[in-house]
Amino acid sequence: MKKTGLVLSGGGARGLVHVGVLKALEELGIRPNAISGTSAGALVGGLYASGLTPNEIFDAIENQQFLSFSNFNFLGNGFFKAKTLIDFVEKNLRCKTFEELKIQLFVTGTDLDTGLCDIFHTGNLSLPIAASAAVPVMFEPVEINGHNYVDGGILNNFPVETLSQTHDFIIGSDVSQWPLNFTNWSKTTIIQRSLQLAIASGQESKKQACHVLIAPVVVHYQPFSKGMNKELVEIGYKETMLKKEALSAAL
């Protein structure tokens, strides 16, 4: 097999598409040598790199409680406490450091203090993954080495550059595609579309570095809903299987 890299974008609950992608890749006999993920992609990619199967990742996310009312943060600088997200990551990871992982992992985080995008790939594993998935305002920032980090997707929602120079074959899974001719505009969808446009700036050129890009139209799904989890996994699986012939070049 060629040295294969997998890029997983951010997208909230829509990141469940990545689980379906991983499930299909396994069935096709393709296992990445490295994963570069941001936000939900960092969470799914980190769990997979630490040894969880796609089904185990789905079960963990399906049963998560970090968005429950009991974890609501009445006085902090986020609707939900960062600790609940960190605890979820620590509970489900099977490794404590990047060096212990079965698959090399790169995690993207946004440093609020410096305004820079940082790529984590050594040392403590749980804090960078939690920080990358900490959607601003929804969650408190996660402190790492005295700096406050939030969602990596703010500055880099498709971190392909960490793999493009070192891997022979790049597979991308992107959940930021907006449907054409969308007309169901509401306050919520206007906000979602505006954020998607801001985050997507400069992302299109990055996708061209992928040999195979899996990009189903799922952005209009609610980013924090659990009701469509199985459907999103199935979308990722089917979309990947449609690229079966192109993916065979990785073998």
Side-chain angles (χ1 to χ4, degrees), residues 189-211:
T189 55
I190 290 172
I191 292 172
Q192 283 182 234
R193 178 59 165 159
S194 300
L195 290 173
Q196 182 262 341
L197 287 171
I199 290 173
S201 176
Q203 189 169 312
E204 291 304 314
S205 61
K206 291 186 177 187
K207 295 176 188 177
Q208 296 175 13
C210 296
H211 297 87

Side-chain angles (χ1 to χ4, degrees), residues 174-246:
D174 174 40
V175 296
S176 66
Q177 292 293 104
W178 193 270
L180 295 174
N181 303 317
F182 186 79
T183 58
N184 189 24
W185 295 113
S186 64
K187 293 184 180 69
T188 301
T189 55
I190 290 172
I191 292 172
Q192 283 182 234
R193 178 59 165 159
S194 300
L195 290 173
Q196 182 262 341
L197 287 171
I199 290 173
S201 176
Q203 189 169 312
E204 291 304 314
S205 61
K206 291 186 177 187
K207 295 176 188 177
Q208 296 175 13
C210 296
H211 297 87
V212 176
L213 179 65
I214 300 153
V217 178
V218 292
V219 162
H220 54 298
Y221 282 77
Q222 292 299 315
F224 302 108
S225 172
K226 293 176 66 174
M228 296 294 182
N229 284 357
K230 288 185 178 179
E231 184 175 332
L232 287 165
V233 172
E234 188 65 18
I235 288 172
Y237 176 85
K238 289 181 177 179
E239 194 74 15
T240 306
M241 284 302 187
L242 289 175
K243 305 290 179 73
K244 181 177 179 179
E245 186 174 342

Side-chain angles (χ1 to χ4, degrees), residues 23 27 35 81 106 111 126 174 176 187 201 226 244:
K23 186 175 180 179
E27 289 189 17
I35 297 173
K81 301 171 185 175
F106 298 90
D111 187 334
S126 58
D174 174 40
S176 66
K187 293 184 180 69
S201 176
K226 293 176 66 174
K244 181 177 179 179

